Amino acid sequence: MPEIKKQIPLLKSDGTLTEEGWARSPLWTYNRENIAASALKIKEWDYYSVLSPSKDFGISFTASDLGYAGLFAICFLDFKRGTFKQIDTLSVLPLGKTGFPRVNSSGVVQFEDKKLRLRFEVINGKRILEFESKSFDAPDGSKGIQGKIELTEPKMESMNIATSWKENRKAFYYNTKINCMPASGQVQVGNTMYQFDPKKDFGALDWGRGVWTYKNRWYWSSVSAWIGGKPFGLNLGYGFTDRTPASENTILYDGKIHKLDEVKFIIDTENYMAPWKFISNNNRLELDFTPIVDRKSYMNFLVIKTIQHQVFGKFNGTVVLDNGEKLKLENILGFAEDVLNHY
């Protein structure tokens, strides 16, 4: 699996990737002008999840420009009750005008319509997430959600990958996953205020740019937690693009990435709330996953069709670092998903 170790352009002049592989920081320069596809097919997105294991709640934000449509969402998760509430909206033919930055280390993404408002700003090593929806249905029967969350990004490695599809090498996926960002701030949901504690709570980012083939099914899992007094992150994923050159399976521990090879999710697809298992091909990861809430959604707008099961729950088991050290996960909060998309 080639590890990229120097800054390179993402795309060659013909729209194929300069070099496929993985890296410990975002070393590919996203040169959007070299994309060999219609503006209708370019996909750019930022997805944040911020979870509070100590207070049993979480929130996630989706902002995406899929070329012919934009998709934006706020989802509030109550792990005590095992419930979620979401509000989402579509924009028509944004064609890249949403304004997603070319780098994930600075810039602003913002969107507003009648249903919701989102604003993500990256400045001085902090990610400031502001959000509001007056029509959000709160769990207590009242209306509205709003808040401001600040994620602090420590000096640490991250998971970065650039891969393409076998059937179309000009279709590509450039992705950064950042785990373990201490979260502060608050969320007002209806009449209830929720507070994040930066000593206990973490945010994570899925930052992606690319051109995809039309139909894809992917599996992804993410964890950010404290283990042994040190920040611990897990990013597992497959099923999306040709992963022969590289996988995105990584352990983050105390700021350093430890690379895993292949990982498999064992899921009862008839019942996503049944226990899951995760195993790796080199015996470095063995986890059991007990679901708490299935954030499931089905969307069918003719061209856009998506079936999503993003399941939040508790992980138990072991992972092995590059140096052979074994870490034990005991009731660690995170999520895992099985998503089928046509778009």
Side-chain angles (χ1 to χ4, degrees), residues 13-66:
S13 56
D14 66 356
T16 58
L17 289 167
T18 304
E19 197 174 343
E20 302 198 23
W22 70 279
R24 296 168 194 274
S25 60
L27 292 175
W28 291 268
T29 304
Y30 178 50
N31 48 350
R32 196 179 197 274
E33 62 280 2
N34 281 16
I35 292 176
S38 150
L40 289 164
K41 292 187 173 177
I42 300 172
K43 310 209 185 314
E44 301 178 324
W45 70 94
D46 289 8
Y47 168 83
Y48 285 95
S49 63
V50 192
L51 306 183
S52 176
S54 58
K55 294 178 189 157
D56 279 328
F57 78 96
I59 191 164
S60 72
F61 309 100
T62 304
S64 61
D65 185 325
L66 309 173

Side-chain angles (χ1 to χ4, degrees), residues 44-46 63-65 72 96-102 108-109 209:
E44 301 178 324
W45 70 94
D46 289 8
S64 61
D65 185 325
F72 303 87
K97 293 194 286 286
T98 312
F100 283 87
R102 293 191 178 205
V108 175
V109 176
R209 308 291 183 257

Side-chain angles (χ1 to χ4, degrees), residues 162-212:
T163 49
S164 64
W165 274 261
K166 272 181 188 155
E167 61 268 38
N168 178 6
R169 294 297 180 191
K170 292 178 181 178
F172 68 92
Y173 167 68
Y174 177 33
N175 185 235
T176 296
K177 302 271 188 12
I178 301 174
N179 291 74
C180 300
M181 294 184 281
S184 58
Q186 65 285 322
V187 184
Q188 173 129 10
V189 186
N191 300 317
T192 311
M193 184 70 84
Y194 296 84
Q195 195 83 28
F196 286 105
D197 179 349
K199 291 187 175 68
K200 295 178 180 173
D201 304 333
F202 282 129
L205 167 66
D206 168 8
W207 182 98
R209 308 291 183 257
V211 170
W212 306 349

